[in-house]
Amino acid sequence: MIRSMDQLPLPLEGITVVAVEQAVAAPFATRQLADLGARVIKVERIDGGDFARGYDTAARGLASHFVWCNRGKESIALDLKDPRGLAVVRRLIAGADVFVQNLAQGAAARLGLDAATLCASDPRLIAVDISGYGASGPYADKRAYDMLVQCEAGLVSVTGTPEQPVKAGVPAADIAAGMYAFSGVLAALVRRGTTGRGGPVEVSMLEALAEWMGHPLHHVLHGGTPPARTGLAHAVIAPYDAYPTADGGRVLLSVQNDREWRRLAEQVLEDPRAGTDAAFATNAARVAHRERTDELVAAALAKLDTDEALRRLEGAGIACARLRDVTELAEHPQLAARQRWREVGSPVGPLRALLPPITLPGGAEPRMGDVPALGEHTGAVLRAVGMTDDEIAALRRDGVAA
């Protein structure tokens, strides 16, 4: 690759990652590594591959979860229950810097692919175990899917309306675990650079999401009560909610202090007296009279279309946002203005994808590689570790590789 003198390489160029992964948590972590320049070899089952490939067909025939989490990787398909398939993975790991797995609890250990075993034989290796609940404790063997962990971590209890708890609309437990695995690998690489030793990294979905629950958790731990579910409203601030506008949109606004409330009353509600009325003049009063506060704000915004409501709120210095759906996010003017969209290759042709949110100095753009077909790179990867075409053909003939 030819670079200008002032263009830095991607930070993980030269790092090789082998991943025996499925679904979201581990693939999301290793995709971050691939975006930053690492070579990621994804080991999949021969009978359909990563089961996330079959979740849906929304991305022009491909699964949306798989497209999201697996660009920039090399896919090889192996049967790890066959000693020959497992031997291939061991050869790959021997030449790797990082190994990541999120198999069902106990499966990696039975194969000798758990982090502790691998790092004991190769101290330079960084090996990551991602699980639902961790390797020990009464929940160690419990099945752990994202929504189940959201429930166990209490996220569902603080999300939704007073009448109905709901799960997060994205796989929050998977994402949390994936990002801690990603940062754990980066930290271990730094440590290896100074000590020469990598070592095992363990991340559980429950512990990752419990960390994200820090605010309500500390509220309860230190004498408070569990936060109420308030939908889009805020439990202790008013007004802080989404309100309908005249053209069918919804605008969310947040008043953070009493000065802002007075400006809102004068410039948006066009009712200066509400700014100093004892029933609304302080946040405590507005929360105590939340229904009346919301009625004042809703009545004013219902007379305005969405663009005019936002213009007035911004003019008054009130924090606000348009309540967008996912289709509108895809056309968000800020993302367009900052040129955040790219195209990545896939078995069905180019697909739109967002640049990762880490912007690097020195002009090096993240490596947003293609979404691989199942087993697309099996032959090339096996040849690179010294296997002959006859050996590869034999593995394919016997159903060990695809």
Side-chain angles (χ1 to χ4, degrees), residues 7-292:
Q7 183 174 335
L8 296 172
L10 288 170
L12 297 184
E13 284 189 17
I15 297 296
T16 297
V17 179
V18 175
V20 179
E21 58 179 19
Q22 56 198 358
V24 176
F28 190 60
T30 57
R31 197 216 78 191
Q32 315 303 317
L33 301 172
D35 285 343
L36 292 182
R39 180 191 185 195
V40 177
I41 301 170
K42 180 182 179 76
V43 181
E44 301 190 63
R45 298 168 59 102
I46 59 171
D47 55 346
D50 181 338
F51 55 74
R53 287 183 179 272
Y55 279 173
D56 59 58
T57 57
R60 292 174 49 191
L62 302 180
S64 52
H65 278 83
F66 191 85
V67 167
W68 168 43
C69 293
N70 289 284
R71 66 172 178 244
K73 302 178 185 180
E74 300 170 43
S75 170
I76 68 170
L78 294 170
D79 180 3
L80 300 190
K81 295 180 181 179
D82 188 293
R84 292 169 292 175
L86 184 58
V88 170
V89 171
R90 292 186 180 283
R91 289 172 71 171
L92 292 173
I93 294 171
D97 301 279
V98 179
F99 175 71
V100 179
Q101 68 85 18
N102 70 330
L103 297 174
Q105 183 64 32
R110 288 192 294 273
L111 296 170
L113 298 180
D114 58 293
T117 299
L118 292 173
C119 292
S121 61
D122 182 0
R124 293 192 73 259
L125 180 69
I126 296 161
V128 184
D129 291 338
I130 302 175
S131 65
Y133 297 103
S136 61
Y139 277 48
D141 295 323
K142 188 176 178 67
R143 284 184 176 271
Y145 302 135
D146 177 82
M147 187 170 66
L148 306 178
V149 178
Q150 287 193 37
C151 290
E152 291 284 353
L155 177 59
V156 170
S157 76
V158 298
T159 307
T161 66
E163 298 76 24
Q164 180 64 49
V166 299
K167 69 177 181 67
V170 296
D174 282 321
I175 295 170
M179 292 310 291
Y180 283 116
F182 169 52
S183 58
V185 168
L186 299 183
L189 284 169
V190 172
R191 181 178 62 189
R192 192 181 72 172
T194 58
T195 69
R197 298 180 67 89
V201 174
E202 181 185 5
V203 176
S204 90
M205 293 165 65
L206 176 65
E207 291 159 12
L209 197 55
E211 167 65 22
W212 283 15
M213 289 290 291
H215 159 243
L217 184 59
H218 279 281
H219 197 270
V220 170
L221 285 174
H222 306 298
T225 57
R229 292 189 302 273
T230 55
L232 286 173
H234 196 288
V236 296
I237 301 174
Y240 196 140
D241 207 337
Y243 303 90
T245 52
D247 57 358
R250 296 181 78 188
V251 169
L252 189 140
L253 65 89
S254 169
V255 169
Q256 294 288 305
N257 55 61
D258 300 334
R259 296 185 307 278
E260 290 184 2
W261 169 253
R262 291 192 292 273
R263 293 202 304 271
L264 179 73
E266 294 167 3
Q267 300 178 42
V268 181
L269 308 185
E270 297 181 337
D271 184 2
R273 289 179 299 177
T276 56
D277 188 320
F280 310 111
T282 66
N283 183 63
R286 293 190 296 275
V287 170
H289 301 95
R290 184 186 295 274
E291 186 173 343
R292 291 175 60 194

Side-chain angles (χ1 to χ4, degrees), residues 245-251 304-311 322-323:
T245 52
D247 57 358
R250 296 181 78 188
V251 169
L304 309 172
D305 65 27
T306 303
D307 288 341
E308 175 63 13
L310 291 168
R311 187 188 68 77
R322 186 187 304 265
L323 193 63

